[in-house]
Amino acid sequence: MNARVENGGLSITLPERWEGKGLEAHAQNGGLVVSVPKSFNGGLEVAASEHTSIICKDDICSAGERTWDNGHKLFRMGGSNPQVRASTQNGGIVIEERGHSRGEM
């Protein structure tokens, strides 16, 4: 499944278990909010340019790997071949545990 938004943001709420081939989501000129359940059983990769702010909240963040290099920021959790890939260009990113309140971007 592919989702592309221009001049607006995306909000993705993940299920506990991802089934299916995958999701590719991209926001151009808009923010990205990814809500991940505490018991998420799947792979997630969130990417952005070096000037994008990424706010990772709650306990879900300790399960992730962060890489900030070569002009890109990358947050990955749940394996080396993620089924869910999300990115934004010119927008902030919030990664949060599903069920908790959203922070400001």
Side-chain angles (χ1 to χ4, degrees):
M1 179 181 300
N2 291 311
R4 294 188 69 77
V5 175
E6 193 167 326
N7 298 322
L10 278 173
S11 179
I12 301 169
T13 301
L14 298 176
E16 288 185 11
R17 180 180 177 100
W18 185 267
E19 295 186 23
K21 291 185 178 185
L23 170 66
E24 296 277 340
H26 179 75
Q28 174 77 31
N29 299 322
L32 179 64
V33 176
V34 182
S35 297
V36 183
K38 191 172 193 170
S39 58
F40 181 62
N41 185 10
L44 169 66
E45 179 179 280
V46 178
S49 65
E50 66 181 327
H51 300 295
T52 299
S53 66
I54 297 180
I55 300 170
C56 192
K57 300 168 45 178
D58 308 313
D59 294 336
I60 198 72
C61 301
S62 63
E65 174 186 326
R66 297 169 180 87
T67 305
W68 294 178
D69 62 8
N70 298 326
H72 292 89
K73 292 182 178 180
L74 184 68
F75 176 86
R76 182 180 274 176
M77 64 182 289
S80 61
N81 190 17
Q83 299 96 338
V84 179
R85 296 176 190 265
S87 62
T88 185
Q89 188 171 359
N90 300 325
I93 296 174
V94 174
I95 303 166
E96 64 184 4
E97 188 175 309
R98 191 172 77 195
H100 287 151
S101 61
R102 289 194 175 133
E104 295 196 33
M105 293 176 93

